[in-house]
Amino acid sequence: MRILMVTSFPIPGDYDGTAMLPIKIMRALKPRGVDVVVAYLHARPPWGVTSESGDFEGTPIYRLPPAAWASGLGLKRIAREQPFDLVHAQHYGGATRAYLACRRYGWPMVYEIHSLLGEEVERDHLGRGLVFLAYQALERRVFRHAAAVIALGEPVKEVVIAEKGVPADRVRVIYPGIDLGEYDAPGEPALIPGVGPEHKVVMYVGSIVHPNQGVPILVKALPRVFAAVPEARCVLVGGPVEAGATYRAQLGANGDRLIVLAGQTPRQVVALTRRADVLVHPRLACRENYSVQSKIAVYLAAGRPIVATDFGDYQQLLGTTGAGLLTPVASGPLAEAVIKVLGDPALAARLAAATGPVAREYFAMDRNIDRYIDLYHRAIAAGPR
């Protein structure tokens, strides 16, 4: 079997969850005998006409300009050079840009939804103009004809079935996977500037500016945490650095207790999370967060106590399992939960002990890849709708 993975972002690219997910899938498919070819369907410059090819970790990578993917000829060329059985489209960008070629040539598409188009917290800022409307129109066609749809959360699955009209048997929830071996391997906690052995570390990993992640809620909670636990320090593992400076200014006299580490590699994140006394995800209650982000896979794999806001699948993944302490989406309850975990070693130990089984069941890539391969076989057999 050979899969054409199509994206609207470069591979390799940023170390964020969106860009890393197809890389993790690609790496896990190879040992299972599934070949992968990647097509990056870029939109800028819109007048670009030159296609390029290369490789990443031995995987062929094609970089197609708008003229090549809009006409379908670029993807047709890939099919001649690297015959594939199925198109796995990442994010709405990959799905909408590959749609016309898939329809023209009868290739089955599996559409993996990273987040619901139009439901982004910053959508009004991003715009709802002609480009957005074109994406929406094409995505409606993708939902109408896709051989299968992958949702990163149960609420997304419900939306796809109830609002987008996709038959239930064509929709599958697969959470963003992670290589647990990176966390199981022995290693020392990272040394963090401004953090000594006497300090208790409240840590967040991920973008510190995307509105849906709720970092301002955590920052607002910190004065109460610092007052109750003077030895506490907060470490934000993510960027950009300028946002960190803004947060420190908001904290006033407590600003020096906030450390921001931007530009960290996945390997560095593993070591950093080992130093966390509590990992926090204060995400907002919004439809953009119907999808489960990869950071919770990182948190669970790290085996540290987790405090998170109670929304979407977190009740199932963290609340019911005992792997996390859930709070309302507000700074006060979040602060109290962090203080509780930092001050109760028995509670912290119980939360940490519950993370491993959840990580292995829902996020271990060696299990998730079985789910992907099973879905590929079903999508190929069913074909486009």
Side-chain angles (χ1 to χ4, degrees):
M1 182 192 300
R2 178 176 287 138
I3 302 302
L4 176 64
M5 187 87 69
V6 296
T7 75
S8 55
F9 44 83
I11 291 180
D14 295 332
Y15 289 124
D16 64 13
T18 295
M20 287 302 297
L21 180 57
I23 293 176
K24 293 173 184 175
I25 296 170
M26 178 182 72
R27 288 170 175 167
L29 285 171
K30 286 184 179 180
R32 302 297 180 89
V34 178
D35 292 332
V36 180
V37 179
V38 175
Y40 163 38
L41 315 180
H42 66 88
R44 298 179 185 277
W47 56 83
V49 295
T50 303
S51 298
E52 301 173 0
S53 62
D55 77 271
F56 173 68
E57 298 180 354
T59 295
I61 306 286
Y62 291 82
R63 188 176 186 272
L64 303 185
W69 54 258
S71 66
L73 297 178
L75 293 172
K76 183 63 175 177
R77 172 196 158 201
I78 296 174
R80 287 196 303 268
E81 297 178 1
Q82 305 274 355
F84 50 82
D85 302 286
L86 174 142
V87 173
H88 184 162
Q90 294 287 335
H91 203 29
Y92 66 80
T96 54
R97 295 175 193 181
Y99 167 75
L100 293 176
C102 288
R103 287 294 290 165
R104 177 177 298 173
Y105 300 114
W107 302 324
M109 175 190 286
V110 171
Y111 173 24
E112 186 157 16
I113 304 173
H114 289 220
S115 60
L116 291 167
L117 174 60
E119 301 294 348
E120 303 90 342
V121 173
E122 54 183 347
R123 172 45 62 186
D124 288 339
H125 172 72
L126 295 172
R128 299 181 183 272
L130 292 177
V131 173
F132 169 71
L133 294 175
Y135 273 128
Q136 275 196 320
L138 282 170
E139 192 194 40
R140 283 194 290 270
R141 295 190 179 189
V142 170
F143 283 127
R144 192 176 305 132
H145 299 293
V149 175
I150 298 172
L152 303 188
E154 291 292 342
V156 177
K157 178 180 178 180
E158 293 172 8
V159 169
V160 169
I161 295 169
E163 299 179 22
K164 311 299 183 182
V166 180
D169 63 349
R170 299 262 184 165
V171 187
R172 180 104 178 246
V173 174
I174 303 178
Y175 294 116
I178 192 170
D179 179 6
L180 297 183
E182 297 175 349
Y183 290 84
D184 293 338
E188 294 297 318
L191 297 176
I192 302 173
V195 174
E198 74 279 11
H199 292 136
K200 294 188 176 182
V201 175
V202 179
M203 185 176 289
Y204 166 89
V205 178
S207 170
I208 65 176
V209 293
H210 287 173
N212 65 308
Q213 299 302 319
V215 173
I217 295 174
L218 171 59
V219 173
K220 188 175 180 181
L222 289 177
R224 186 180 300 189
V225 173
F226 294 149
V229 187
E231 67 273 25
R233 296 293 182 271
C234 180
V235 179
L236 303 180
V237 182
V241 173
E242 312 82 70
T246 300
Y247 290 140
R248 278 193 289 270
Q250 291 174 4
L251 289 170
N254 288 314
D256 61 346
R257 299 185 183 188
L258 176 66
I259 297 97
V260 179
L261 302 174
Q264 303 300 297
T265 67
R267 183 171 295 181
Q268 289 171 318
V269 169
V270 173
L272 286 165
T273 54
R274 290 191 173 115
R275 182 60 183 86
D277 291 283
V278 58
L279 291 163
V280 183
H281 191 192
R283 67 181 191 156
L284 303 185
C286 60
R287 281 167 68 103
E288 184 175 2
N289 284 337
Y290 279 1
S291 292
V292 170
Q293 290 93 21
S294 59
K295 75 162 66 357
I296 203 62
V298 169
Y299 285 16
L300 290 162
R304 310 303 298 150
I306 298 170
V307 169
T309 47
D310 187 1
F311 184 71
D313 285 8
Y314 277 15
Q315 180 57 240
Q316 169 197 343
L317 296 171
L318 301 178
T320 303
T321 63
L325 186 59
L326 298 179
T327 81
V329 184
S331 60
L334 188 75
E336 293 306 314
V338 170
I339 293 166
K340 186 175 182 179
V341 172
L342 293 179
D344 189 339
L347 171 62
R350 287 197 303 273
L351 292 171
T355 59
V358 181
R360 289 189 292 274
E361 174 62 27
Y362 295 104
F363 296 95
M365 188 53 89
D366 60 348
R367 290 195 180 186
N368 274 6
I369 215 63
D370 289 333
R371 297 172 176 128
Y372 280 111
I373 292 174
D374 176 68
L375 189 65
Y376 291 161
H377 284 299
R378 292 174 181 271
I380 292 169
R385 291 166 51 217

